[in-house]
Amino acid sequence: MDKVILKDFEVLACHGVNPEEKNEKQRFVFTAKLSIDISEAAEQDDVNKTVSYADVKKEINAFCEGNCFDLIETLAARLAESILKKFSPVREIELTVKKPDAPMSGKFEYAAVEICRGWHRVYLALGSSEGDRDAYLDFAVDSLKSDSNFKNVKESKRIVSAPYGGVAKGEFVNSAVECDTLYDAKKLLNAVLDIERRGGRERKERWGDRTLDIDILFYDDEIIGDADLCVPHPDMANREFVLIPLSQLCPNKVHPITKKRVYEMLAQLIGQ
């Protein structure tokens, strides 16, 4: 992907563990590499189709002057998130924060932190079999949209499906959601578990009826096999109520393990 680069921009601000660093401004030097598709801007010669490095410079300056952190690690991480949220065309940022006058002995050029942060494309499966099922799915989608760590939240059409797993008794309303998130996979899991909890989910028995169920289907193209999180979802290929709505959002998405596209998994499941 193309990059817009602001290199070695110097700001005077107060960040540091020592008391004097919180009161006396020091130099901080920033380099930001912003991953963005500039093809439309280049073709139309239109600054509104790209990200203005002058605006990025202003954001860095305002953020540094408006905050005071102990660690440059915190400064880098929070600033990166701020830039990603404020400048929507930016998919990823590589950010270097240098502190040339760090208060330590010995000869050195600078102390620094380099980080990389970006938006991750994720797909979720939603389901409800208790109470006002559509209202619970509305709650889940609205919760995603109201969290600034998500954007571009798009829901498929909803379907009604028979209970799955032999325990639940009620019919389900199901859908799939496509969105971008700044959360890493573990934080994403915690976020959806919190939405389930706030939606009245009670974990009484596996595959039982529930007000709200949210499963992580895909997280970029990552393969995760932890005790509490398995991505891609290990049973998605056997679930018609997952693949039908998911195929509306990303029919050509390739499963990173089986190498099958979503529409191929659905066709194989229903015997077409």
Side-chain angles (χ1 to χ4, degrees):
M1 185 170 283
D2 308 317
K3 293 184 187 296
V4 171
I5 299 174
L6 177 65
K7 184 176 176 61
D8 292 338
F9 171 54
E10 186 172 306
V11 175
L12 294 176
C14 296
H15 300 279
V17 175
N18 300 316
E20 63 273 16
E21 294 177 284
K22 299 186 182 303
N23 298 307
E24 300 175 8
K25 291 186 176 183
Q26 315 117 62
R27 290 187 300 152
F28 294 87
V29 182
F30 295 86
T31 293
K33 298 180 180 180
L34 312 177
S35 295
I36 176 177
D37 182 355
I38 66 169
S39 56
E40 189 175 2
E43 183 176 328
Q44 299 180 21
D45 196 24
D46 186 351
V47 68
N48 295 312
K49 302 294 185 180
T50 185
V51 173
S52 166
Y53 37 80
D55 289 341
V56 174
K57 185 193 75 169
K58 292 177 183 177
E59 174 66 13
I60 293 173
N61 191 75
F63 188 89
C64 288
E65 292 184 347
N67 292 279
C68 182
F69 301 115
D70 286 350
L71 303 177
I72 59 173
E73 289 89 342
T74 306
L75 173 60
R78 301 277 180 86
L79 175 58
E81 289 182 4
S82 179
I83 291 173
L84 286 164
K85 291 175 181 179
K86 186 165 185 176
F87 301 97
S88 58
V90 179
R91 291 294 305 177
E92 184 178 271
I93 178 172
E94 298 172 46
L95 183 64
T96 301
V97 182
K98 300 177 182 178
K99 193 172 183 180
D101 307 316
M104 58 184 181
S105 61
K107 185 177 180 180
F108 62 94
E109 186 174 350
Y110 55 80
V113 169
E114 293 182 342
I115 67 168
C116 182
R117 296 289 187 273
W119 292 99
H120 304 276
R121 176 61 52 87
V122 299
Y123 292 90
L124 308 173
L126 309 184
S128 174
S129 67
E130 286 185 337
D132 190 335
R133 299 167 298 172
D134 280 303
Y136 283 119
L137 265 61
D138 288 341
F139 172 77
V141 173
D142 290 342
S143 295
L144 294 169
K145 290 181 177 179
S146 66
D147 186 334
S148 64
N149 289 297
F150 293 99
K151 71 174 184 177
N152 300 329
V153 178
K154 179 182 179 182
E155 186 186 15
S156 70
K157 293 181 180 179
R158 296 175 183 179
I159 64 172
V160 176
S161 65
Y164 181 83
V167 178
K169 300 295 189 292
E171 281 189 324
F172 277 76
V173 172
N174 298 100
S175 69
V177 167
E178 173 188 270
C179 57
D180 296 319
T181 185
L182 291 179
Y183 289 128
D184 62 30
K186 287 295 183 67
K187 289 181 179 179
L188 174 62
L189 175 62
N190 291 335
V192 299
L193 289 175
D194 181 63
I195 294 172
E196 287 183 344
R197 179 189 59 77
R198 291 188 287 111
R201 172 73 182 269
E202 295 181 2
R203 297 182 179 275
K204 299 176 182 178
E205 54 186 347
R206 188 183 186 193
W207 289 338
D209 286 299
R210 55 270 202 193
T211 57
L212 183 59
D213 186 47
I214 307 176
D215 288 330
I216 302 173
L217 303 176
F218 292 117
Y219 184 91
D220 288 335
D221 293 318
E222 289 194 22
I223 300 171
I224 304 169
D226 295 339
D228 56 350
L229 179 61
C230 189
V231 177
H233 191 284
D235 198 39
M236 62 186 297
N238 300 315
R239 300 184 177 189
E240 192 172 332
F241 60 89
V242 168
L243 294 177
I244 289 176
L246 185 62
S247 66
Q248 297 174 15
L249 299 175
C250 59
N252 292 309
K253 170 73 176 175
V254 177
H255 194 292
I257 298 176
T258 67
K259 305 305 180 184
K260 293 180 180 178
R261 300 181 187 274
V262 169
Y263 81 84
E264 292 174 326
M265 290 190 287
L266 177 59
Q268 182 176 331
L269 181 62
I270 63 180
Q272 293 183 354

